[in-house]
Structure formats: C-alpha cells, structure tokens
C-alpha cells in the first residue's frame, strides 16, 4: 500500500467509502440469508482497494450501443465470494446471520473511528490556521 502523496483526509475519506461498500455487501448477504444456493460475499481488503483504485481506470464506453455497468462499487473495491463463511445450510446458502451481524458491528465501529479521526484532523487544521480552539 503506497501512501506517498496521499493526504490524511483523502485516506480517511477512502476508508469510509470502502467501509460503506462493505456494509452494503453485508446487508445484501443478510437480505439473502434464506435464498437457496446464495453464496455469502465480502469485499477485498482496504489495502488492496487502495492499490486497485490507483491502478484501475475503469472500462471505457466507446460506442453508444455498449451496455454500461450498473455497478456502484467504488474504484478498487472488488466483491468476491466469502471464503470465511462459517457454515452452509442444506439448501446451499452460506450466509450465517450471526457472522454477518459481527461483521456489521465491526464496520460500524471502524466507520465511527474513521469519522472521528477525520473530525480531529479538521479541528487540528482549524487550530493551526486560526489559533483559536
């Protein structure tokens, strides 16, 4: 993961964007907990997402007849099959609601931390510029 030339605020913002994408995938997993043969999904690591965002330029639509993707995942974020799923039910579904709940709580805590760091950084800049607390 390269952090050269990346500001603290950009890093915090990208982290919150990645966490939002991860929370979306978790909620989709929970919504499909009773769907036969549904396989739990997960997003790639944050470090991989950062590296991927710098390397990816996206697909170019060069013709009006090209089908545009409805994918709303941020650059660098890949949604993959969750290989750490706890169990599979008899109908082939690999979503464990308990595991997804734990992941959702982790994401919420990480998001709060990133938002607080972002707020503290803003406060430090305000003090540095104005000298007023």
């Amino acid at each position: 993961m390269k952090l050269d030339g990346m500001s603290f605020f950009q890093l915090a913002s990208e982290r919150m964007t990645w966490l939002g994408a991860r929370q979306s995938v978790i909620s989709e997993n929970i919504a499909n907990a009773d769907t036969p043969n549904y396989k739990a999904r997960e997003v790639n690591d944050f470090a991989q997402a950062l590296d991927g965002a710098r390397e990816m330029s996206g697909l170019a639509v060069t013709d009006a007849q090209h089908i545009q993707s409805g994918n709303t995942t941020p650059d660098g974020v890949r949604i993959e099959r969750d290989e750490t799923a706890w169990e599979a039910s008899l109908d082939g579904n690999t979503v464990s609601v308990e595991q997804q709940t734990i992941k959702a709580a982790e994401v919420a805590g990480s998001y709060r931390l990133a938002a607080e760091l972002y707020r503290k950084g803003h406060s430090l800049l305000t003090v540095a510029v104005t000298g007023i607390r």
Side-chain angles (χ1 to χ4, degrees):
M1 174 172 55
K2 295 181 182 179
L3 298 179
D4 300 342
M6 179 178 280
S7 78
F8 168 78
F9 293 106
Q10 183 181 2
L11 182 63
S13 177
E14 288 193 22
R15 173 76 175 180
M16 290 190 296
T17 301
W18 175 81
L19 288 166
R22 185 166 186 230
Q23 187 70 22
S24 177
V25 169
I26 291 168
S27 65
E28 289 173 10
N29 285 342
I30 292 172
N32 288 295
D34 290 330
T35 304
N37 294 318
Y38 182 83
K39 305 301 180 202
R41 301 181 313 161
E42 181 62 274
V43 297
N44 58 333
D45 293 333
F46 180 60
Q48 292 173 340
L50 277 181
D51 291 340
R54 281 157 193 65
E55 295 170 3
M56 291 176 62
S57 61
L59 296 175
V61 177
T62 57
D63 189 305
Q65 294 179 340
H66 284 174
I67 298 174
Q68 295 184 15
S69 172
N71 190 1
T72 58
T73 57
D75 287 342
V77 175
R78 286 189 330 270
I79 299 173
E80 354 181 278
R81 190 175 190 178
D82 186 3
E83 300 300 330
T84 64
W86 286 351
E87 60 191 25
S89 61
L90 294 176
D91 65 359
N93 188 306
T94 62
V95 175
S96 168
V97 175
E98 294 84 5
Q99 183 182 23
Q100 299 302 315
T101 303
I102 291 169
K103 287 181 180 185
E106 289 172 359
V107 168
S110 295
Y111 195 90
R112 278 192 299 273
L113 175 64
E116 185 63 22
L117 289 172
Y118 196 93
R119 189 184 67 76
K120 289 288 187 181
H122 182 269
S123 297
L124 286 172
L125 277 179
T126 302
V127 169
V129 171
T130 64
I132 301 171
R133 284 188 168 224

